[in-house]
Structures are given as C-alpha cells and as structure tokens.
Amino acid sequence: IWKKIKATYDENLKNKRPQLIFQNYDVISKFLVSVLETDVDRVIVNSKNTYETVLEYLKKMGVSTLDEQGDNNLPAVAIGGFTNGISPLEMAGAYASIANDGVYTKPIFFTKVVDSSGNTVLTANQEKTRVISEQNAYLTRSIVSEPTKSGGTATYCAISGMDVAAKTGTTNESKDRWLCGFTPYYTGVTWYGYDKNESINYNGKKNPAGILWANIMSNVHSSLKNAKFNKPAGAVKVTVCAETGRKANTGCPNTYD
C-alpha cells in the first residue's frame, strides 16, 4: 500500500507486459513496491485468486451489491469501483469490522423495544462474524489512521484525545465524495453527491463528506473520555529500513517504526 506513486506504461514491451516505474513515492510498505518491480508475472498469475479472495472478504463484511461478472476487475474493485456501488450503511458495517477487532456486526436501527409499561418486548439480535484476525484489524487501523495525521488527506477529522481512523474517497469527475472512519467508540460514513451522478463543485475546498463527518463526530465525542485503539497480543512493533522495506539493522541510515 502506498501513496504518491507515479507509474509509466510501456506498451512495446515483450508480450505486452506492463513495466511499472515508480518515482517519488512515499511508501507505507516499500516491500510491496519491490514485489511489483521484481515479480510482476507472479502478481498477474495470482490476480484471479486475489480477486476471489477480495470478494470473499467483502461478502463477509456485509457487502451485498457485488456483481460476480461485472466486478471481475481487480484494480477497480481494489479502490471501491463496484458495478452497483455500495450503500453508506454497508460501508459503515464493513469499516466497523475493522474497528471491532475484525468482527463484523450486522447493522441495526434499534437496541430494544419497550411497551407503554416499560417492559422490553423486543431486543436486538445482531449477527456477529469473525472476518479477520485481531492482529490484521490492528494493522489496518494503523494504516487508516495515517490520513488524520500531519500531511494526511483527512487531518480535519482528528479529534483531540481520541484515536481516529478516516479514509477519503472520490469517484471520477468528483461525482461522489466519501469519508469513512471510526474511533474506539463509533464508526461513521458520510456520502456526498447527487442522485443523477452530477459532478460536485466545492471550489477546491475540503471534501464536503469529510466536513460533515468531522462536524458530526466531533460533536458526538465531545463528552466522551479519551480513548485509544486496542493493541492485541501478537502485534509487534519493529524498526524498518526505509531503503529496503525490511527490518532495519545498524547500517540503515533511514528508518521508521
């Protein structure tokens, strides 16, 4: 996973295999870049299995709008390009599984129903499914928390004293704007757009979906105690060499945790 990547495509290469040339990249994990540079054939061969795995996890996270044929496009699906789109409710349910240590909980609109005498006549029975491990959920939370930090695309979503994860989203021609995020308390998703797919003109200002999210979530958390995301046993922090993407040794001049 990386950001600020520039790539070129040489169509004259043997067998029409794309050559990826990365420049000026700010990498979260340089290991993935080295895989693409040195083992493109294996990545392409395994893309079908990768696609099927992606769909499997999306279904486990409650996404019901997948089109087995129309969504058979891994690069598009990888950045949320679904044939039939996705509802903010299902998006929130999927993100909540990351916030809830890898457990998907089916969204509901009530916690209980009581009669005129105060007796409980109906209680919520939410389905819960383990989707990913606690460790993978922790790593994903760590990655999705980066946009809220200095230099990120969602710094305005930060909440003082609270761990926050937030991901912005934009479709072609700015016809859809998203902000999906969560804290240790709540998961929230906002979508901003038109029913008939018109471009959104926000005059170069901040993501309007993000502004909505930030205003709502800051208000919701105003009276809550400071909180941090859980760090499960088995999640180990190491120092990585920025030059190789591997565990740093004493000879690496540029490292990060």
Side-chain angles (χ1 to χ4, degrees):
I1 300 173
W2 58 86
K3 56 184 178 180
K4 296 180 183 176
I5 291 180
K6 293 182 179 179
T8 61
Y9 175 72
D10 185 350
E11 222 174 288
N12 296 317
L13 289 175
K14 184 179 179 181
N15 298 325
K16 301 296 183 180
R17 184 166 65 87
Q19 179 185 19
L20 297 178
I21 303 172
F22 298 95
Q23 299 173 336
N24 302 324
Y25 44 81
D26 180 7
V27 181
I28 295 175
S29 175
K30 284 194 176 182
F31 171 75
L32 293 180
V33 175
S34 66
V35 168
L36 287 175
E37 290 177 333
T38 61
D39 207 2
V40 175
D41 284 332
R42 184 175 298 176
V43 173
I44 293 173
V45 168
N46 289 337
S47 63
K48 183 176 185 296
N49 293 334
T50 303
Y51 165 74
E52 292 173 350
T53 301
V54 168
L55 289 191
E56 178 185 349
Y57 277 100
L58 287 171
K59 290 175 182 176
K60 287 181 179 179
M61 289 183 171
V63 180
S64 65
T65 54
L66 297 172
D67 184 319
E68 296 284 351
Q69 298 300 320
D71 290 331
N72 190 13
N73 185 337
L74 184 59
V77 170
I79 58 173
F82 304 142
T83 300
N84 300 317
I86 183 173
S87 72
L89 178 63
E90 290 192 351
M91 187 75 87
Y95 267 78
S97 65
I98 301 170
N100 293 329
D101 294 325
V103 175
Y104 169 76
T105 304
K106 187 174 183 179
I108 57 170
F109 294 94
F110 70 97
T111 53
K112 66 178 179 179
V113 178
V114 298
D115 60 20
S116 58
S117 300
N119 300 311
T120 300
V121 296
L122 182 64
T123 56
N125 182 22
Q126 289 179 277
E127 300 175 16
K128 295 178 183 282
T129 306
R130 165 69 63 185
V131 178
I132 56 176
S133 69
E134 291 182 59
Q135 292 76 19
N136 283 339
Y138 169 76
L139 292 174
T140 306
R141 285 196 299 268
S142 298
I143 293 171
V144 186
S145 297
E146 289 300 313
T148 67
K149 299 176 182 178
S150 178
T153 57
T155 54
Y156 49 87
C157 292
I159 301 173
S160 178
M162 200 77 61
D163 274 357
V164 179
K167 181 68 186 74
T168 59
T170 309
T171 57
N172 292 355
E173 301 175 2
S174 293
K175 291 181 178 178
D176 301 90
R177 298 306 300 261
W178 290 83
L179 195 295
C180 309
F182 51 82
T183 71
Y185 290 102
Y186 296 107
T187 296
V189 167
T190 52
W191 170 82
Y192 191 100
Y194 297 98
D195 290 339
K196 294 184 178 180
N197 286 334
E198 298 178 32
S199 294
I200 302 164
N201 183 3
Y202 53 99
N203 297 321
K205 297 179 180 178
K206 296 175 182 176
N207 178 0
I211 296 300
L212 283 171
W213 192 97
N215 288 337
I216 294 169
M217 293 293 266
S218 61
N219 185 52
V220 168
H221 289 78
S222 60
S223 60
L224 299 177
K225 294 181 179 179
N226 294 351
K228 302 292 183 182
F229 292 133
N230 294 330
K231 182 179 180 181
V236 180
K237 185 177 182 180
V238 299
T239 300
V240 176
C241 178
E243 304 301 320
T244 66
R246 299 178 180 179
K247 188 175 180 180
N249 57 31
T250 55
C252 182
N254 186 11
T255 64
Y256 61 92
D257 292 328

